[in-house]
Amino acid sequence: MGDAYEGDLLGDDPVGVRDRSSHAAHEAFAAPGALERSVP
């Protein structure tokens, strides 16, 4: 993984980062055909 996860990844708004990433994950999972396709 190298240094991909080093440092402050949340910045000044950790709750906002969590909310946005959670929303994006939910939208991706809820999309039609989400369980039938491959993720590169």
Side-chain angles (χ1 to χ4, degrees):
M1 291 210 178
D3 61 355
Y5 295 106
E6 287 186 22
D8 182 4
L9 302 177
L10 301 177
D12 294 334
D13 186 18
V15 174
V17 170
R18 192 224 29 111
D19 289 346
R20 288 186 296 278
S21 62
S22 174
H23 178 74
H26 179 268
E27 291 295 312
F29 185 75
L35 299 178
E36 285 83 35
R37 62 180 177 243
S38 296
V39 177

